[in-house]
Amino acid sequence: MTVRTGVYPGTFDPITRGHMDIIRRGAKLVDRLVIGVTTNPSKSPMFTIDERMAMVERETAGIDGEIHVVSFDSLLMDFAEREGASMIVRGLRAVADFEYEYQMAGMNQQLNDRVETVFLMADVSLQPIASRLVKEIALYGGAIRKFVSPAVEADVARRVSEIGRKGS
């Protein structure tokens, strides 16, 4: 029997309730879900790769299914191949996401047509959540508890406090 493996890639800086929704639902589609925590040269992360991996591991600990958290710094399709994945799981929030993700799926298919991209629509209540906005809200002293778990809220508050001390 072959194990169906899916990869859910992202920076998860920080991991949000929206990410968790996609992880829970994506885990039901595969036997093994690999959460690929990556760097993105166009983003300035608030947390290191190790901190983000620890956050994702902590947040996903109670989810049913086989879930692995792995860092990667390569082309997504090379990472998917190394992990033995047959699908990439991506979450969509809005039309703007679709346009970008559709283009990426097409490019990825050109790189490796053995791996399919599966799109999951974000839960309506979670659609506006974006890590970038969560960080911005937190940096300006706003409440982020609607968007992240209490543990992630505490992680972000600690980091914002550290940033504030460095800037003083």
Side-chain angles (χ1 to χ4, degrees):
M1 183 175 142
T2 59
V3 173
R4 182 181 301 247
T5 298
V7 167
Y8 178 41
T11 52
F12 305 104
D13 185 47
I15 188 167
T16 67
R17 293 185 189 279
H19 292 130
M20 291 301 298
D21 174 53
I22 300 301
I23 291 167
R24 278 187 203 91
R25 293 168 47 216
K28 293 176 186 175
L29 300 176
V30 294
D31 302 311
R32 177 175 170 261
L33 182 63
V34 177
I35 302 171
V37 181
T38 188
T39 56
N40 184 332
S42 67
K43 296 180 179 180
S44 328
M46 178 177 270
F47 296 96
T48 67
I49 192 95
D50 290 336
E51 289 169 328
R52 288 182 278 137
M53 285 185 59
M55 252 190 269
V56 173
E57 287 172 353
R58 178 190 68 216
E59 296 298 308
T60 59
I63 295 177
D64 288 338
E66 185 179 341
I67 296 178
H68 300 270
V69 180
V70 179
S71 69
F72 76 103
D73 187 17
S74 64
L75 284 174
L76 173 57
M77 298 314 276
D78 291 343
F79 174 66
E81 187 83 25
R82 278 194 308 273
E83 290 297 325
S86 60
M87 77 172 67
I88 306 297
V89 176
R90 298 297 294 158
L92 295 176
R93 293 175 299 208
V95 172
D97 281 352
F98 179 78
E99 291 173 4
Y100 172 79
E101 293 292 347
Y102 183 77
Q103 183 179 24
M104 290 302 299
M107 293 296 287
N108 287 337
Q109 186 178 38
Q110 294 295 313
L111 293 172
N112 185 341
D113 63 2
R114 295 176 307 281
V115 180
E116 289 293 333
T117 301
V118 175
F119 297 112
L120 298 176
M121 294 303 298
D123 180 281
V124 174
S125 67
L126 303 173
Q127 284 180 0
I129 301 174
S131 293
R132 175 183 54 81
L133 298 175
V134 168
K135 289 186 288 191
E136 190 172 320
I137 291 165
L139 286 167
Y140 282 102
I144 60 170
R145 70 182 55 94
K146 290 181 182 178
F147 314 120
V148 297
S149 73
V152 172
E153 179 184 23
D155 292 337
V156 172
R158 270 192 301 280
R159 185 52 41 91
V160 167
S161 174
E162 291 168 8
I163 291 168
R165 284 195 300 272
K166 287 178 187 174
S168 303

